Amino acid sequence: MIIVSATLDYATREDRDRAVEESAPVQQATRDDEPGCQAYCFAPDPCVPTRIQVYELWDDGPTLADHFKHRNYEDMKTVLNRYGIVGTENRMYLISAHEPVYSPEGLPRETFFDGSA
């Protein structure tokens, strides 16, 4: 699995809010239309009024690569750029293991991945 994590900064909260609102249909289309997309969320940061937090989860490299060639990707860039991105940070992470955050008893785990992390 691949996680994409990013931030997009705008000059004003209004610009950020319009970008989030206008991008919602493209977010939904990406979730619905693109095989391998497990999550695709561009949401307002509750602590930074001009920032969008991005979270994407993809099955693997080929599905993410296909996304970059898909019309939804181009449409998303158009919407987000319409309101003037003034800063961005982005990373992708290859996930080789995953497990629940909480134990079967509902408590936060104290060790992770059988103690290997």
Side-chain angles (χ1 to χ4, degrees), residues 10-55:
Y10 290 84
T12 68
R13 171 181 262 175
E14 292 77 18
D15 289 340
R16 189 250 350 236
D17 290 347
R18 284 189 295 234
V20 169
E21 182 178 346
E22 257 188 65
S23 70
V26 183
Q27 292 180 59
Q28 189 66 59
T30 301
R31 294 175 186 195
D32 293 344
D33 301 342
E34 296 188 49
C37 179
Q38 301 299 318
Y40 196 76
C41 182
F42 290 59
D45 185 315
C47 299
V48 181
T50 56
R51 179 169 291 162
I52 291 174
Q53 291 285 345
V54 176
Y55 171 74

Side-chain angles (χ1 to χ4, degrees), residues 63-75:
T63 58
L64 179 56
D66 286 346
H67 169 63
F68 293 139
K69 299 172 196 164
H70 199 281
R71 176 69 189 202
N72 290 333
Y73 177 72
E74 293 302 321
D75 290 347

